[in-house]
Amino acid sequence: MAGNSFGELFRITTFGESHGEANGVIIDGIEPGFPLDLDALQREMDRRKPGQSAVTTPRKERDRIRILSGFFEGRTTGAPLTLMLFNENQQSRDYDSLRDVYRPGHGDYPYAAKYGHRDYRGGGRASGRETSARVAAGAVAKQLLQNRGITVTAYSLMIGGLWCSTVDLSVIETNPVRCPDREKAPEMEQIILDAGASGDSVGGIVECICRGVPSGLGDPVFDKLDGLLAHGMLSIGAVKGIEFGAGFGSASLKGSQFNDAMTGPGAFASNHAGGTLSGISTGQDIQFRLPVRPTPSISRTQQTVDIRGGAAEISIEGRHDPCIIPRIIPVVESMAVLVLIDRWYQQFGRDCRQPSKG
Amino acid sequence: MAGNSFGELFRITTFGESHGEANGVIIDGIEPGFPLDLDALQREMDRRKPGQSAVTTPRKERDRIRILSGFFEGRTTGAPLTLMLFNENQQSRDYDSLRDVYRPGHGDYPYAAKYGHRDYRGGGRASGRETSARVAAGAVAKQLLQNRGITVTAYSLMIGGLWCSTVDLSVIETNPVRCPDREKAPEMEQIILDAGASGDSVGGIVECICRGVPSGLGDPVFDKLDGLLAHGMLSIGAVKGIEFGAGFGSASLKGSQFNDAMTGPGAFASNHAGGTLSGISTGQDIQFRLPVRPTPSISRTQQTVDIRGGAAEISIEGRHDPCIIPRIIPVVESMAVLVLIDRWYQQFGRDCRQPSKG
Amino acid sequence: MAGNSFGELFRITTFGESHGEANGVIIDGIEPGFPLDLDALQREMDRRKPGQSAVTTPRKERDRIRILSGFFEGRTTGAPLTLMLFNENQQSRDYDSLRDVYRPGHGDYPYAAKYGHRDYRGGGRASGRETSARVAAGAVAKQLLQNRGITVTAYSLMIGGLWCSTVDLSVIETNPVRCPDREKAPEMEQIILDAGASGDSVGGIVECICRGVPSGLGDPVFDKLDGLLAHGMLSIGAVKGIEFGAGFGSASLKGSQFNDAMTGPGAFASNHAGGTLSGISTGQDIQFRLPVRPTPSISRTQQTVDIRGGAAEISIEGRHDPCIIPRIIPVVESMAVLVLIDRWYQQFGRDCRQPSKG
Amino acid sequence: MAGNSFGELFRITTFGESHGEANGVIIDGIEPGFPLDLDALQREMDRRKPGQSAVTTPRKERDRIRILSGFFEGRTTGAPLTLMLFNENQQSRDYDSLRDVYRPGHGDYPYAAKYGHRDYRGGGRASGRETSARVAAGAVAKQLLQNRGITVTAYSLMIGGLWCSTVDLSVIETNPVRCPDREKAPEMEQIILDAGASGDSVGGIVECICRGVPSGLGDPVFDKLDGLLAHGMLSIGAVKGIEFGAGFGSASLKGSQFNDAMTGPGAFASNHAGGTLSGISTGQDIQFRLPVRPTPSISRTQQTVDIRGGAAEISIEGRHDPCIIPRIIPVVESMAVLVLIDRWYQQFGRDCRQPSKG
C-alpha cells in the first residue's frame, strides 16, 4: 500500500487529501547548492490552481508554496526539501450526501472495497487536489533540468473532439485551454463552456514534448524511459493511456516505414520512435500523447448504488471543472520532469563532484 | 542503471543477453509451499519460443527451464526461485558486420551512447531474447493467480491493419497468430508471411483481459494499477503505447457517456474505465490494448551511420520474425501477472497465515 | 543521497533540521481503520522532549504532534499519515561563531565535504532534533504492535561507567535517567549532573527488550531481523555499536556453551542468541545492547580547525544534554518498533482481510 | 520475504541453497567498461572455500566462478553481471536424521515456523554456503574500489579468548587463521584444532579496516555509513554484533576524551569515532569489530526437540568448521566493499561521464 513515493534518486513522497489541512511533498535526494527560483515555483503552482480562468472550476485556492526544510540561504542543502501547501479554503460543507453513495467514475467504490475506512469528503486521497504536491515537486525538477538544457512542454492537442491544426509552443500559455493553435483555442474554450453549461464534461488529448534530453537516459530492461514515463503518466487519475511517437499508428506501418533512418551521428530522418530506442533516449525529442477522460463529476443525474447495495441516483452539484485538461497539463509536465531528473542522476550522478581523499 | 528488477513483494531480477551462455530470472518473495506444475511452466515457454510456427523466425531454441534453487520436494520453499534457460543454439556467427554500424530501429546507437562498451552481437541485453526470463517468471505467477481465481489472456486484435471482428478466447491458441477470430486468423497469417517474403515486417495491436481480479488491488497514488501495468507493458521493447478501457476513445466522450453507472454492489452497466477507478481495481475485467511496432530487423536496405559517423547502408539478413506479435503475447501476459501477484501480496499478504506466539 | 526513508511496507520518510520551521514524518503503508490513541502518541513525544528533567538540556520544546493527513473520524484511512512538529522555540541566535569552524565530534566537517552548501545552524539535518520525527512514527508503530501483543522497552543499563545490578522494567519510568535499578538510578543521575557541571559529558549503554514477537519475523538473507535492527540502531547518531544476546561475549564461548538447547516447542533453555536464529525471530525475547557515546557538545575548550584549515579553539556554550541517554531511549524503542511492524507486515500482511471477488 | 537483494545502485541479488545445483549472484548497476581481473576474482573465492587448510572443514569445493552475462571482450557491459558457482560436490547423503529434528543454534526451528515447507538438507538457504555468492560479488566490488584507491582488510583479532598483541596487515594471509600477529597465529591455530578435536567449536572477534575512503560517503539520516555497514555485517549469520571505533568502550569515556580533535583539514588527533561523524565518512580509516559466535554444528550431544515437539538428542557428525572465522573474513570484507561501492556511486555517480546532447 505504500505507493506514495515516486523516483529512486530524486524521490518524492506526497501526502494530503481533498479536505485535509495541507498537501505537501518531501523531495529526497536533491542535489545540494542549487539556487531555487521561488517565484518560478509559484508560477507553476498557479498554472494548476483552480479558479485561474473561466474554463476551470471557480473554486479559489491560492496554493502558496511554503518550504519547511532543505533550503538555506537561497540554496538547497541536500537535506529533504519539503514543500507544503496549506489549505486556505476549507469549507465546512455538508458531505453527508456523499457518505453513503458511490459516485460513478470516481474511486469511491474501490476505495471502500480496499480500505474499509474511507474519507468520503470529496474523494479524500483520490482527489485531484493531490496533484498539487506533484506540481510543486515538478516545478523544482523543471529548474534542475532547465539548468541542464532540458525543457518539457505539454499542451491540449484535442479537446472534445476538436484537434489542433498547427502546433506553436509559444501560443500555449496565451490562452486558458493551453492550446498551441491560436485559431482553435477559442473554439476549444467554447466546447468546454458549453459542456459545463449543459451539466456535462469533456475530455481530450494532451501531447508532451521533451527537448534537449541527451542520449543515454533510461535503463534496461524494466526501467526503460518509456516504461517510467508511462508509469508516471498513468498514475494521473484522468489519464487512460499513452502513446510514444507514431504510437497506435505504428501498428499499421511496415518496418521499412516505421524505422527511423540515421542520417548522421545522433541525427535521424524521422522520429516515429518518439525519442527512445530499446527504452534509452536517442537525443531526439521525446514525444508522447495522453487520452484524458472527461471529468467524472457532472451535475446530470446518474445511476449508482449506495453503500448498502441499493439503487440510487446522484447529481453532483458544486464547482467542478467541465474539462480537466487545462489544469492537468502542468501535472503531466511534472511527472515527465520527475522521471527525467531521476534518470539523469542515475546516468550522470547528481553533480559529478570529484572525490577528495581524506 | 540497476533496472533489471521488477516488482516489490514478488520481485523478479533477470539477466542474460542475446549471445550469452544463459538467460535467467531470480524470483524473490514467492510464497512458500506452492506446488509448481513444471509442465505448465514449460508450455508457457513454448508459446514464446522461436521456431514454433511458420509465422515466426525459424531459429530453433528449446528454452528448457531448469530450476536452480527455491524448490524442494515439489514445492516452493520461500527462498529465491531461480529459473535458468541455457542457450543451446549459440552459433559462432560473424558479427563483424554489426560491430561498426547502428541498425535502424534497434537500441544500438543509444546503448553505445549510454555505455560506451557495448555487446554488439545481436543486440546484447536489448535483444528480445531477454523476454524469455520474463515469461519464465510470468509462468510461475500465472499459476499463483490461477490458484486465486484470476486468469490473464492476451491475443492479436489487429495485425498489419487487419482487425478482428469477433473475440472468442477459446480460438486464440488454435492458430499460430493467436487471433481470437477464427475467420481472420488465416488472413493475419498471410499478412505476416507476405511481409516476410518481401523482406519487410508488420506490427499490430495486442489486447489483454484480466478476469477474476478482486476489487482493491493497486495503491494510491503512484502505484495505481494502471500505472504499474503501463510500466510493465512499456518495458517491452516493441510496445509503443497502452490504453485502458475506452482509452483514446474516451477523449471524445462526454462525462455522461464515459462514466460507468453502477447497477449493484460491484456491478456496472459498462466498462469504459477498463477495470480500475482511481487506479484501484473495481472487480470488473481489466482490459487494455497495446500497439506493437513492426519488428525492426528487415532485409530491405536501410540508410544508417557507422560508429565513426559516416553514412552507411544496412540489410539485416538472418532469421527474423516478420511480426513479433504471436511471440510477444506470452510476454504481455507475463508482465500483467507479475503486476497482479505483486499487488495481491501488497493487499492481502502472501498467505495470511496466522502468527503463532513464541 | 536519498537516505531519509526507512522501512518497506511500513515506510517512514522524515524531514526537518535543527533550526527549520518544522520537523515531520510521512508514514506510508499503514493499515487502514486503526484507532490511534492521540494522547499516547503525545506521551511518547514527551519522553524524548528536551527540558523534561534536571538531567536533560533545559531548552523547552513542547513537540506537539499535529496530524495533517491520513486520519479521519478517529481512525487511519490507509493514506499517508503525516505527523508534524512545528518548532515553537526558534531563537534568532547568533550562529556566526559556528559558521566557520568545525565542532569536534559533530558532523560539521563531513557534511561540508559532502554537500558543500551546509546549514551550519545547530547541525542542520545532523541535529538530534531530527529524531523527534522518528519518535512520532515510532509512537504510531508501538500502538500497532501493542495491538498484536508485542512490547518494546529500552533502558539505561550503564551510565558513565556505573552498571545496573538489577533490571526491573517497572522502575524505568519512575526516574529521570530511565534506569531499571531503583538503587542505581540516583547515582546515575548524579554522574550526569556532575559531568554537566564540569563542562563535560558522559555516555553509557542502552539495553532493549522486545517481548511477544512471534517466531518467523525477518527475512533471509540480507533482511535478517538482526541486520535490520542493527541498521536502524546505527542510524542513530550517538550509537557506536550493537550486540545481540551474548554479543561480544559469545566470542569467548565454546559452541557447546553458546548454543541454546531447545526444551520444547518454541522453548529454549537459554537465550544467548538474543531472540533470533539465522536472522529469524524464534519467539524468545529479542534483546540487544547499544553503546552510546558521550554527547559531543561540551563547554570545555577543544582543538579544531576552521573552514580555511587554520587551527582554532572552540568551547560550545549553550543548553546541551550532558548525557543523551535518557532522551535517546524512546528513539531506540522507535527504531525497534519500526523494524518489527515492517516485518510483521512482510510476514503476515497488513490485516489479512479476505479478498472479495468483483 | 524478498530479502535477497542488497544495495541500491550497486545491487546484488543472490540465490542458492546448501544442497542446490548452484549458488550465484546477479550484480545490477555495475559501471560499464571495467576490465575485471578474473584471476583475482577466483583468488577471493579461494579465501572463502572449504578445505583450504587444517583449521577449516576438509570438505572440498572448488567454487569456480563462471560469468554468465554482463561481460564482453574482457570488460563489463553495464548489463547484469551474473556470477555462478555450480556445486561439484553434491553428495547424496542421508539427511533423514535432520528431517525431523531442530539443530540447536541453527535456523531450523524459525525457518519451519516461518515457511512451513523447509529444505532440511544442511540448512537450505540458511547455510553458510550462501555466502559464496556474497564473496563473488564482493570480489568484483573490491576491484572497483581498488581502482579508486580504497582497500578493505579484515582479520582475526581474537580467537577462542586469545587476542592479538600487534596488528601487521602484511601477516594476515601468511597463516591459515588470518591473524595479523605472527606470534599469536600458531596459538590461535592450535585453539581451533583443539576445539575440533574435542567435538566442540570456538568463536572470536574479527576486525576490519577500510583505507582510502574519501570524506562524504554515507547518507543522512537512515543511510548513515555505519548503519549500512552494520546492516551488512549483521546479515552474516554468525555475527552477533558490531562496534565502530571506540565502540562499547566509548560508553565509559567523557566527551572531552571521546571527541577526536581536528588538527588540520581532514586531519584528526585520534579516531575514536571509527571513521564517520554523523554517519558520513570523514576520510579517516573506517574501523569496526565483530563478535563471531562459535559454529553451531558440533559433534557433542545436545538437547533439542523434534518437529512433533518431543524431546530429542542430537550429535552433528560430518565435516564442520570448528571455527568459522578464517573463512568468514572474506565475507566480512565483501559486505564492506558492497556498502562502500554503493555509496560511492550514490555520492559521485558511476563514472561521471559528461552527457552529450542529442
Side-chain angles (χ1 to χ4, degrees), chain C residues 49-260:
Chain C
K49 76 174 176 190
Q52 63 184 269
S53 74
V55 296
T56 71
T57 166
R59 201 172 62 245
K60 288 287 182 198
E61 286 159 18
R62 285 199 305 153
D63 277 350
R64 302 300 302 177
I65 285 189
R66 222 159 99 194
I67 300 186
L68 292 198
S69 75
F71 195 66
F72 182 58
E73 297 185 334
R75 291 172 181 271
T76 58
T77 63
L81 187 72
T82 307
L83 307 175
M84 296 280 285
L85 304 154
F86 287 93
N87 292 340
E88 301 163 326
N89 191 25
Q90 280 179 280
Q91 294 176 298
S92 53
R93 271 183 54 188
D94 183 7
Y95 283 95
D96 283 357
S97 61
L98 296 179
R99 182 174 210 140
D100 294 343
V101 70
Y102 300 129
R103 292 171 297 166
H106 280 278
D108 297 359
Y109 170 72
Y111 263 62
K114 183 179 187 64
Y115 293 114
H117 184 59
R118 175 172 77 92
D119 181 350
Y120 49 80
R121 298 167 305 167
R125 183 69 176 153
S127 159
R129 174 116 192 82
E130 165 264 322
T131 60
S132 61
R134 306 188 187 203
V135 173
V140 171
K142 244 185 200 184
Q143 296 187 22
L144 301 175
L145 287 175
Q146 229 154 10
N147 191 40
R148 289 160 166 92
I150 300 175
T151 58
V152 170
T153 313
Y155 46 83
S156 303
L157 185 69
M158 183 269 262
I159 281 182
L162 181 72
W163 294 77
C164 288
S165 302
T166 62
V167 170
D168 177 348
L169 302 191
S170 72
V171 170
I172 298 168
E173 295 296 323
T174 67
N175 63 79
V177 289
R178 300 202 157 85
C179 169
D181 179 336
R182 201 181 304 274
E183 314 249 312
K184 296 293 171 59
E187 295 181 52
M188 288 183 176
E189 196 173 346
Q190 194 58 45
I191 286 172
I192 297 175
L193 293 173
D194 290 350
S198 68
D200 216 333
S201 63
V202 288
I205 292 177
V206 171
E207 188 165 62
C208 183
I209 297 182
C210 312
R211 295 199 161 148
V213 179
S215 52
L217 298 198
D219 293 285
V221 291
F222 297 113
D223 290 347
K224 287 188 167 77
L225 199 57
D226 349 23
L228 296 171
L229 286 167
H231 185 166
M233 295 307 149
L234 271 293
S235 77
I236 305 172
V239 172
K240 297 306 292 176
I242 189 169
E243 61 174 8
F244 288 85
F248 275 85
S250 51
S252 302
L253 297 177
K254 293 266 168 74
S256 56
Q257 301 167 309
F258 178 83
N259 283 351
D260 300 307

Side-chain angles (χ1 to χ4, degrees), chain A residues 1-2 4 15 17 21 28 66 68 70 72-73 76 80 82 84 99 114 117 120-121 350 353, chain C residues 1-2 4 15 17 21 28 66 68 70 72-73 76 80 82 84 99 114 117 120-121 350 353:
Chain A
M1 291 176 173
N4 296 284
F15 74 91
E17 296 109 24
E21 192 176 342
D28 198 8
R66 222 160 99 193
L68 291 198
F72 182 58
E73 297 184 337
T76 58
T82 306
M84 295 280 284
R99 183 173 209 141
K114 183 179 186 64
H117 185 57
Y120 49 79
R121 299 168 306 167
R350 268 183 196 78
R353 268 190 291 173
Chain C
M1 291 175 172
N4 295 284
F15 74 91
E17 295 110 23
E21 194 175 340
D28 198 8
R66 222 159 99 194
L68 292 198
F72 182 58
E73 297 185 334
T76 58
T82 307
M84 296 280 285
R99 182 174 210 140
K114 183 179 187 64
H117 184 59
Y120 49 80
R121 298 167 305 167
R350 268 182 196 78
R353 266 191 291 171

